[in-house]
Amino acid sequence: MSDKQDIKFEDAVKSMMLHVGENPDREGLLKTPQRVKKAYEFIFGGYKEDPKEILSSALFTSSNDEMVLLKDIEFYSTCEHHLLPIIGRVHVAYIPDGKVVGLSKIPRVVNVFARRMQIQEQLTEQIADAIMSTIKPKGVAVVIQARHMCMEMRGVEKINSTTTSSALRGLFKKDEKTRSEFFSLINSPNGSRY
């Protein structure tokens, strides 16, 4: 951001504080506009990253043709309707077709899409489509389970609800046995952490 854009952003934060009844000139809030700007640059850093580039940077030839599952990837996102947090876990599986991807790249791709203004349904689709189009596996499955602060902190105020969304591609959509194996694995207890 340029200095001019920084000032406009910080002025917008001050305006919001005034709108809710706060005094942006009181001691505890003097640096809040700068802190919010810096926080937003991190929280929405996904706009500056390319998920296909991340996945392409670590593709390896492999004869493996069995399911690869990353379970319980924690994520934090922001509801595009209220700018409030979405907090949850993502489960991602794929079936290689000659190529596997470095395991750390999948959580990085989750972060890229999560660090944008989102709705959970779109986030689920974006992760699946990026993996499908870049790795070109036989199938991809993504399930997200999340809490939405826009439902907990305001509106209906339901603090014990969880939203689940899924995106299935290739074999996970076509083959009942593959789909069942995936759901069985993500729903099994974690056990010890080695």
Side-chain angles (χ1 to χ4, degrees), residues 7-8 11 15 60 98 110 112 126 192:
I7 291 167
K8 282 179 79 171
D11 285 345
S15 180
F60 306 101
V110 168
V112 167
Q126 289 170 335
S192 66

Side-chain angles (χ1 to χ4, degrees), residues 3 49-50 55 62 82 90 133 157 166 176 187:
D3 288 342
E49 294 185 87
D50 180 355
L55 291 167
S62 175
H82 302 96
V90 182
S133 66
E157 298 182 84
S166 67
E176 173 61 35
N187 290 315

Side-chain angles (χ1 to χ4, degrees), residues 18-57:
L18 285 167
H19 181 77
V20 299
E22 258 300 349
N23 174 8
D25 294 323
R26 79 171 167 84
E27 182 184 17
L29 297 177
L30 286 175
K31 293 188 178 180
T32 296
Q34 296 94 335
R35 289 186 195 108
V36 171
K37 181 183 70 65
K38 194 170 186 177
Y40 268 45
E41 288 169 353
F42 177 80
I43 291 167
F44 297 113
Y47 290 110
K48 296 177 182 171
E49 294 185 87
D50 180 355
K52 291 182 180 188
E53 189 177 297
I54 290 167
L55 291 167
S56 297
S57 72

Side-chain angles (χ1 to χ4, degrees), residues 33-130:
Q34 296 94 335
R35 289 186 195 108
V36 171
K37 181 183 70 65
K38 194 170 186 177
Y40 268 45
E41 288 169 353
F42 177 80
I43 291 167
F44 297 113
Y47 290 110
K48 296 177 182 171
E49 294 185 87
D50 180 355
K52 291 182 180 188
E53 189 177 297
I54 290 167
L55 291 167
S56 297
S57 72
L59 283 177
F60 306 101
T61 302
S62 175
S63 61
N64 180 31
D65 63 355
E66 298 291 329
M67 188 184 309
V68 177
L69 168 65
L70 279 84
K71 184 175 165 180
D72 293 326
I73 303 166
E74 293 178 352
F75 80 95
Y76 308 90
S77 192
T78 305
C79 163
E80 68 182 36
H81 299 139
H82 302 96
L83 297 183
L84 290 171
I86 302 169
I87 303 163
R89 295 183 185 276
V90 182
H91 314 291
V92 178
Y94 72 99
I95 300 173
D97 189 13
K99 296 280 184 187
V100 294
V101 68
L103 292 177
S104 69
K105 303 307 178 191
I106 291 176
R108 285 195 60 204
V109 165
V110 168
N111 281 346
V112 167
F113 289 119
R115 290 183 179 157
R116 298 176 180 184
M117 293 181 193
Q118 279 291 9
I119 60 171
Q120 181 175 329
E121 300 88 340
Q122 189 65 33
L123 175 61
T124 312
E125 297 278 328
Q126 289 170 335
I127 295 165
D129 291 341

Side-chain angles (χ1 to χ4, degrees), residues 105-162:
K105 303 307 178 191
I106 291 176
R108 285 195 60 204
V109 165
V110 168
N111 281 346
V112 167
F113 289 119
R115 290 183 179 157
R116 298 176 180 184
M117 293 181 193
Q118 279 291 9
I119 60 171
Q120 181 175 329
E121 300 88 340
Q122 189 65 33
L123 175 61
T124 312
E125 297 278 328
Q126 289 170 335
I127 295 165
D129 291 341
I131 293 169
M132 195 71 184
S133 66
T134 308
I135 302 173
K136 301 191 185 336
K138 294 177 184 175
V140 175
V142 177
V143 168
I144 297 181
Q145 298 163 316
R147 295 173 54 203
H148 293 249
M149 294 306 110
C150 58
M151 281 181 50
E152 293 188 25
M153 296 172 65
R154 54 157 304 279
V156 294
E157 298 182 84
K158 299 301 176 199
I159 61 171
N160 291 313
S161 63
T162 301

